[in-house]
Amino acid sequence: DVKAPNSIKQSPDIDMAYNLNGIDVSWESGAKKWTGSIPHLDLAVSEDFLKPTGDYIPFEQALSTPGKLTFKTKLNLNNMLRPEIQPESTIDYKLLPEDVTLVFKSSEPVTLTAAGGAVTPSAKQGDGYESKITFKSVEKKAYDLEVAATTTKKFALEVYYYTAEDARPRALQIFRFFAPWTKEVFPKEATGEREIPELAGGNWEKGKKLFYGQALCSSCHTFNGKGQTIGPDLSNSVYRDYASVLRDIHEPNASINPDYVAHMVTLKNKKSYLGFISYKKDSVSIRDASGTRAVIALKNVAETKPYNGSIMPTGLDAMLGPQKMKDLLTFLLTNVTPAKIEHVFIPPLRTSSEVKAALKNFDDMPVKTDAVKPKAGAKKAPVKRLAVMPQPFRILWVSGPKDHGPDEHDYPLQQQRMAKILGLMDNVVITKANAWPTQQQFDNADVVVFYWNYQKFSEENGKQLDAFQQRGGGLVYLHYAVDATENPVALANRIGLAWKGGQSKFRHGRLDLQFTPAAATHPITKGFKTPLILEDESYWVLTPGSRKIDILSTSAEDNAPQPMVWVSIEGKGRVFTSIMGHYNWTFDDPLFRIMLFRGILWAGHQPLDRFNDVVTMGARMSN
């Protein structure tokens, strides 16, 4: 195209603001026809919206000319008098179904057609007509509605609603109406399991290090409570789409948060400052992009005006390069939500202070080296620890078919969730098995997590575990995985204790876990306070095996302390066992997570703080 002189600079990127709210209107009289769209079925409301536009004149003419008039729309009648709740939140009681009645007052009789609604036909009332539609037990879905009338003079229509809980008339909000061709009135709820193709190959842990390191994002922005508050809090980026977050980085001037408009402050001596300002009685405070704050006396200020751009520098994406940008965006966009709970009951939430206290005070496992031992009397060198091991940490998570009711023994769900969470960490490889592992799977694993009762466990399976342990492989057994129906002794010989049908006992409910003296110094449980209260299931009167165990926690059953968490070491092989794990909510308890994640790391000879960054991902906890 030929560029006209003095023309406005054009941009190839165009943002369009639109929604799918509205009502389709058609009018016909013989050969004459008119179609259009209005925002509300109450025509006085639509008139106020349309009058400033050219769309109102033909609509007004149609209303005032004899003919056949039809309105079509989809209705959103969800939560008419009830507040929406925060995503992933729940309430501890069940609301009664909501019955909603729409009332139409019109100048001419109307014919109402509504799927799922009971219609009361038009009846004369005063100078006009009144008709109703009642929707019983309204669901979260779209309700098709058609309103038809024959116009003889200027047609008028009013609409209001009431519910069975409150008969007072109320106006319908505009967002309740959707174009009749709309496919999704209720967009799909965002979940922590969404897949973003552009992030394939991105590394969450590396992205976090970039956010708080090389990319300098945290020098201006906060993410989940960590960072600076110079710019907007980026915690909500996990709910946003890939393209908009990428654009905010690539073109920081494209969209400015109105709460973070910077100002240019020019002093009388011509010196200028750019940053966010706040006023005091006789001075103005200016904080720039680096966090530096300057306080200037108002008498020295010549001019203050808003800055028409962002103080975030451009070129961050070019500086990082494609792979690091993918890592950074993986960190900003990855979200894991708690598992859906079907039970009405949910245990009390942990507080962030409880979680911090448990994470703070424990000894990491030292990394063994081939260094020569110092001579007697020589000063010991400090133990070296590795933040990340040089070789990939390989976890095999073994699952099987779900075998209990809602929220119980959901082996496939927890395999999927834990693989998602642990897989966020750098240099960690998660493999899934849905049956007894093959020899190749054992060979390619450092730790095998069993969350599933393999009923056909045999001595041959036991020998596979022996060989795996002899080379230093770690075993983690969770809850009903301690059941080996056909041969409990064979399993007990490998993990210490096993469930025996007809002998062992169980109880659902509150468990007050007491930590043993050994737990106070063991790296898995160091820092935990007694008692640790969980709502789960206990097992006791288990069959003992030949393997020696160290009990870390107990629960009082039959008036005696019974083992609930234990560990075992034979040669290079380590075993961590937790009887807890009956309910889905236990896996989303951050304190149980800490113990579980440490147990996996301890069994695999890894630094025990390696999974700290993901302990609270998708966990249920309060601030």
Side-chain angles (χ1 to χ4, degrees), residues 418-489:
M418 294 302 109
K420 169 82 173 182
I421 293 168
L422 296 177
L424 297 175
M425 302 305 294
D426 187 29
N427 219 19
V428 174
V429 178
I430 311 291
T431 306
K432 301 174 187 177
N434 297 311
W436 184 260
T438 65
Q439 188 56 51
Q440 184 178 11
Q441 288 175 320
F442 275 117
D443 292 342
N444 292 328
D446 298 310
V447 169
V448 181
V449 180
F450 288 94
Y451 182 47
W452 164 57
N453 66 315
Y454 181 56
Q455 298 181 10
K456 296 182 180 181
F457 188 88
S458 67
E459 187 61 33
E460 288 303 312
N461 299 133
K463 290 178 180 178
Q464 283 183 291
L465 297 185
D466 292 340
F468 179 68
Q469 288 256 286
Q470 286 168 9
R471 71 167 175 83
L475 298 177
V476 174
Y477 271 75
L478 304 177
H479 196 55
Y480 206 29
V482 302
D483 171 52
T485 307
E486 296 186 3
N487 201 339
V489 175

Side-chain angles (χ1 to χ4, degrees), residues 76-97:
N76 165 14
L77 301 176
N78 185 57
N79 289 340
M80 299 298 286
L81 292 181
R82 294 164 183 175
E84 296 283 356
I85 62 172
Q86 190 76 10
E88 298 303 322
S89 297
T90 58
I91 52 179
D92 58 359
Y93 58 91
K94 187 169 179 146
L95 290 165
L96 293 173

